[in-house]
Amino acid sequence: MTFSTSTTMATDSVPPSASNSSDYYFEPDDPAFLETLQNTVLPGDLPVDATKALQQAQPLKRSYRESEDDRGDVYGAAHFGDFGEYMRRKRAKLQLQNAGIAGDETLEQAPQIFKGISIYINGYTTPSVQDLRQLIIRHGGVFQPYLDRKELVTHIITCSLTPAKVQEFKNMKVVRPEWLVESAKQGVLLPWRNFIFRHNERSEPSQGVRPLQKSLLATFSSSSQQQQQQQPNASSSTQKRKPPRPVIPIVKPKPAPDPLSNPLYTTDPKSSKEAQHVPYYAAHESNPNAQRAMENPAWRSAHTSIAADFIEGYYKNSRLHHLSTWKAELKSLLQEAQERAENGVVDILDSDVDGNGDGEATAGVDKVSAESEDLSDAGASGVSMRGAEFVLRSPTKGKDKGKGKAGPPGEDRVIMHCDFDCFFVSAGLVKRPQYKGKPIVVCHSQGAQGGTSSTSEVASASYEARGFGIKNGMSLQQARKLCPDIITIPYEFELYKQFSLKFYTILMKHADELQAVSVDEALIDVTSTVKRLRSKATPDTLASPGFDPAKELAEAIRAQVRRATGCEVSIGVAHNILLSRLATRRAKPAGSYHLVPDEVDEFLAPLDIKDLHGFGRSAKQKALEKLGVTMLGELKEKSKGVLCDALGKSMGETLYNAVRGVDEKKLESDKKRKSVSCDINYGIRFENNEQVETFIHQMANEVTRRMEEIKVLGRSITLKIMKRDPTAPVEPPKFLGHGACDVFNKQMGLFGPHGRATSDSKVIGDHAWRMLKAYNFNPKELRGIGIQIQKLEPASGAPTEPGQGRLSFQKVERTKPSEDAVKARREAISKALEEARAAEAQTPIVKEPLRSRSTSVQPPAFGLPSFSQVDKSVFNALPDDIRSELEIEYKRRSASPFPVPERASTTPATDAKPKPKPSPLTRNNALFPFPKKIFIKGTNRPNVKRITQQLAPQRAPAYSPNKKNLFMKRPGLAAWKVPETELRKLNIDPEVFAMLPKNIQREQITAARLLKTMGTIPEKSEHRVVLKPRKVDHGEVFRQPPPKARHVLPPSLKQQSSGGQKLYFTETDDIQNIIEQWVTRFKNHPPNGKDIDFFAKWLVKSVDREVATDEGLVRAIAVMKWWLMMVKRYFGQHEYGRLHDDEPSREEKVGEAWWAAFRNVKEQMDAVAKKRFGGKLSLR
Amino acid sequence: MSNNPLTFNQTVRGIAEFIEVAIHTILYVRQIYPAEIFVRRKKYDTPVFQSRHPALNEYISGAVKAITDELILGNVDKVVVVIKDKGDVALERFIFSVETMIQVENFNKDTSQISVENAMTPLSLGQYFRSFLVKLCMVEAQLGQMYLGEDVSFAIVIELKDDKPPTGSNPKEPPPWVPAEGQHTTSGAGDDAELHVIRAVNTGIINLSLVVQESEEKLHREREK
C-alpha cells in the first residue's frame, strides 16, 4: 500500500509508548488504518515536542502533495471517463488552494498549533466549514475535503452525525468545532478529548433545542479529564447559550379559562380515565411527529430505548430524576449531619438570630453566604450534591430521638413550612433580571421551537404566568394557547442545587429538626429557637399585641435566604405540619404567615378538601359523590364514621382530624431509605425481545450504580411494566411518552450467589428479565419499565459468610529460605546442571534431558516430568533440600488424586530409575501439609469422603461418588447383545450374525422372533393409515362424559369348593347357609379358631362403611342374627354360662366356646359400628 | 324415563322426598302425635301416614328443604330424627345415614338429562324406598311400643362431614340450623345404646341407610320398669 512507507518512518522516530492514549479506540476493523493510528502521535493526544510532531506529520502531507505535483497537469483538461483523475485533481487543487490561504500574506501569521493535524469536517457546523477551514489552515493544519481515505484524516469535526456515520466513525476522533475555535483563541492546542462529540447531543426539530445544560453524568464522566485541563473555562464556555429571543409580553392577565371542572395537569396521563381530565394537553390524539420519526429506523435506533446510551441520556435530562436524586441526597446529608451531632463532634456555629435587630441576622446571613460560596466552589463541578455537608445546630436532637419523641407535643410546637416561590423560575430570573415581572415558564423546549404543538412540560411557571391560567404540568403548547407571549427559560440544575444547599444550610441553623420535602421545600421544627426568642424578649415587647417571635424568626429566615440566593421564600408557621403547609398558602407569594391556634377554625372553614396535603383530586371526587360537600367547614360537621365510609378508614380518620386542625404527624428527618429503583417510561420503543433484554440489563446497571452509591444490598425485586392500553394509539400524544397504559407489577425474591442479598447488576438484570419474560408481552407494546429493589440492608460490615464452611487446616508457617540459602541453592543447581551435561556428553545413549530449569525454578507443582523420566544421575546430584522437595512432591503426586495400586507407585517401571528413599524430611517438611490433620477420631485414614462432599458444588444434589451408575453410560445400541443360545434357537448362525451391522442385526432378530411366535411375518398393510386430528364439529356442543356411579364391591367370603374352584359368597342367604353348615358340623366340637377368624374378618369388614357401605351392615346384622339363632338352637342352655362350679362337661365346654366365639366377634363388630353410630349393634 | 339411571339431582330429590315421607311415618309409628292428625296415603306403592297439621308439615318440609341444600353440596353425613321426652332426652334416634359416592360438577347436577352411568334407576329406587317404609312400619316389633303419652317430641338433626358448618342455604339468610344438643348427636350416644338396622340402599350416587338407635336412657328406663 502506498502509505506504508511514510508510516514506518514515523514509527521509527517515535517512542512506542506515546500512542497509548488512542488504544481505547481500537477495533479490528481496518488493520492498516489501526496500525497507522496506533503509530501516529498526534499533537492533540499529548503535549509532544512540537518538532517531533512536525517531523512525523510532515511526510504525510508532503508525500501526498508531491505525488500530485509531479504530474504537473493538475489544471489540465480531464480525460473522458477517468473519474479517478478528476477527483485526484480536484483534491490537488483544493490543497493548492489551502496552500494559498496559508501563504496569504495579508493575514496575520497565526501560531502553527494545528501542525500535523489533518481534519475532515462533516456536515453542517457552526462556525461554517469555510471559517473552520481557514482557521485550520492558518494554524498549520491540513483540511481534508474528502474522507475517502480515512488514514489521511486525524480528526473529524462535526456538530451532528447520522447514526450510520456514528457507526462509521466509531474508531475515529470525532470532535466538536469548539475544539478548533477554543484552541485558536487560546493559541494552544487543547486536548481534543475535552471536546469529544457525543452522539446524543443533537437538536431535534420536533422537540425544540435541548438546552446545552451540562448534565449530571456528562460532567462526571469528563471530570477526570477536566482535571488535567489547564484552562477549566475552555469547556464551560461551550455551555454558554444564547438567551431566548426576548419577547415583550402583553401583561394583561386574562381570566384563566377552566376547561374542565376538575382539571388535572400532567403531560402524560397514565390511564385513559386520567386523560379525560387533562384539558387539550396536546393537539393530536397521537403525536404526528413521533409517528413520523418512528418510521425512520435509524432515528429509532438512535433515540428510543434501543439506543445504547439511552438510559444515560434519559437521566441526564430528566428533571424529575434530578429532583428525586437531590431529595435523596439532601436526606442523606441531613442524616449525616444528625449522626455527627449525635457523636458530639459538632462545632456549634454562631447561630444567634435571637437578637431583636436585623444586625445579627445579617451577620448570620453573611456567614451563610460565605459558606455557600464555598459550597458552590466545592460542588461546582457537578449537579450532584455530594461533597457538601450540613451542620446540625442542636445536638440535643439525638437524645430526643432516643426517646422517640421530638419536641413538646401539642400547640407549643412551632413548625415552619418553608417553600421557594416558583423555585425554577425565580432561580432562573436571578441571572435574567430583565424578565422579572413577565410570564415565564421553565421547560425543556426553548424559544419558538416546537411551534404550537410542543408537548414539553412546564415545570414551573412564574406568578405572572399563573395569572394567565398556566399551571405546572401543562404542556408548553397549552401554555402558549393561554399566553402566546410566554417566555421560556431552560433548566439550570446546577443553580438549583446551589440554591437548595444554601437554603438548607440556613434552615439547619435554626431548626431543631428538619424534614426535607423537596429541593425547594422543607419543614422545620423551630420550637426551641422560638422559645429562646420569647424568653429573651423584654416584658414590654411581650406585652405588646403584635409580638410574635415565630413570625419574626420566619422573616429573619426569609431575609437570609433572599440574601443568599436572591430568591423569595414563603414561610407558613403553625403548630403542626398540616397547618403550617396551609399557612404557606396564605403566605405566598413572598411572605410569611403565622396561623395561631385560635384562628384555625376560621382559617380552615373556607378551604377545599383538595387544599389539604395528601388529599387530591380523587379524594375530592369521592367526597363530592358520597358526601356532597368538599369544603372543610362543611366536612367538619360530618361524623368520623361517615368520613371513613366515604374515603376509607385511614383517609377518613386523617380528614376528620385535619378539618379540626389536628395533625399528629412527626417530622421525618431520618427516614431510612426503603427502596432503590430505576423507572423509565419515556422513549420506550422496542422491536424485539433481545432489545428488551439488553435494555433491562442496562437498567440493572443503573440500579446497581445507585445501590452502590448508598452502599446497600437488596433482597427483593419488583418489576413494574407499563404496557400500551389496547385502545390507545401506538404513538401517544406526548412525544415518545407512554400514553395510556396498563400497569403490571411483579415481585420476587432477589437472590445473589449463596442466596445472599445482592446489588449485582447481572443478578438484578436476570431476575427482572425473567419476570418480564413470564408476562410474555409483545415487546412493541412496552411503554415503561421500572426496577425496584427492596428489603435493603447495608452492604458494609461484611456479613458472615453463609454456605460452605471452612475446614480449619492447621496454619503452616512457610519457612522462607534466607537469601544465602537461595544463593547457595542456585549455585548448587548450576553445578549439578553442568555435571549433568558432562555426564550426558559421556553417555552414548541419548537420554531424555531433564528439564532442570523448569524443575528448579518453577514451583514444583508445575511442569514436573513424571518420575520415570527423571534422570537418576542428575537427580542425585541435586542439593539435598531440593531433592527432598522433589521427592515429596513426587510422593504426593503418586498418592493423590488418583490412587495407584501401591506396588505400581512405589516400584519404578525400570530398575534404572531410582527408588525414592523415604527421607526424614518427608515427615516434618511443612511444605505439603495435605494429608495431615484430616483424620477422623479413632481411625487414621483421611476422611476423604467428607471432604469431597464438602468440596462438591453446593447447589447441585450431592451425589455420592460411589453411585457409579448415575454417571455410567446407558447401554445403547452398541451394547445391545443377543445371547448365542437364543440365536441358535432362532436358527441364526451367531458368527454370521456378529458380522452384521447392529441395525441389521436388530432387524433380523425381530423378524426371527416374530416368525417363531406368530409363524409369519405380518404383511405390511396396503394402504397407509394417515393419522389425522379428529375434526371438531363446531356446531356440536362438546359434552363431558357423564359422571359414573361408584359401587363398592361387597366383601366376599372365599371358599374352596370340592371341584378345586374358588367360590365367592357375598349374598346374605349364602353366607347364612355357610354359617349354618359350619355351626351344624361343629355342634359337637368347639369352633376352630381359623374358622372363627374367617367369618369374623368378613363380618367386621361388612360393618365398616368404608369397605362395604351400609348395605354391608345390613348383611352383617342378618348373618349375625342367623348365627345367634343357630348358637341359641344348639347351645341355648349355655348362653348364660354354667350354673354349677363342677368340672364342665364336654358339652358345656363346646357350648361355652361357641358363645365366646360369637360374643368375641360381636364385640369386634360393635367396636367398628361404634365409631360410626355410637353404642353397639342390636340383634333383636 | 324410569329406565334411565338416576341423575344426581334426581337422587338428591328422591332421598329428600323419602326422608320427608319417612319422618311422617316415624311420627306416626312412634306415636309422637295422636293418630287422628294423620291421614293414610299411598306413596311408593305402599300405604303411608301423613300429618295433616299445617304447622307440623311446614316445619318438616322446611327442614327437608334445608337438608336438600346440604345434600346437594355433599356435606351431609347423617340426618337424624330424634325422638325425645319432655326433658329433651333423646330416646330413639332414627338415623338416615348418607354417603355421597361421587363428585359431580355443578352443571351436571343441574341438567336432568345427564344420567349417572351405572347408577340405579328411579323405578328401583322407589321400590327400595317402599321396602324401607315397610320395614319402618314394623320397627315397633324391635323397639316396642312407646308409652310416653303427650310428653314426647321430636327434633331433626343433621350431622355433617368433618365438622363443616351448614352452608347450603341462601347466603343472604341466616342458616336455618342451630347447634344440636350433645345428647341428640352420635358423639353423645352412650356406649350401651343399641342400634337396629332397618334398611340400606346403594344407588351408586348417594347411598342411604336407615337405622334406629335406642338411647342408653331409654333402655335404662325400660329395664327399671
Side-chain angles (χ1 to χ4, degrees), chain A residues 77-90:
Chain A
H79 299 90
F80 179 74
D82 196 349
F83 188 72
E85 185 192 33
Y86 167 74
M87 280 309 288
R88 206 161 48 234
R89 284 179 175 181
K90 185 175 178 189

Side-chain angles (χ1 to χ4, degrees), chain A residues 1064-1081:
Chain A
Y1064 295 89
F1065 300 102
T1066 54
E1067 286 307 307
T1068 318
D1069 289 348
D1070 297 339
I1071 294 166
Q1072 281 174 334
N1073 277 338
I1074 296 166
I1075 291 256
E1076 187 185 342
Q1077 284 169 17
W1078 175 47
V1079 180
T1080 313
R1081 199 182 312 157

Side-chain angles (χ1 to χ4, degrees), chain A residues 642-663:
Chain A
V642 170
L643 293 179
C644 287
D645 280 348
L647 297 170
K649 190 160 184 302
S650 69
M651 278 279 254
E653 261 172 37
T654 317
L655 181 62
Y656 179 81
N657 287 332
V659 295
R660 282 158 183 76
V662 177
D663 182 19

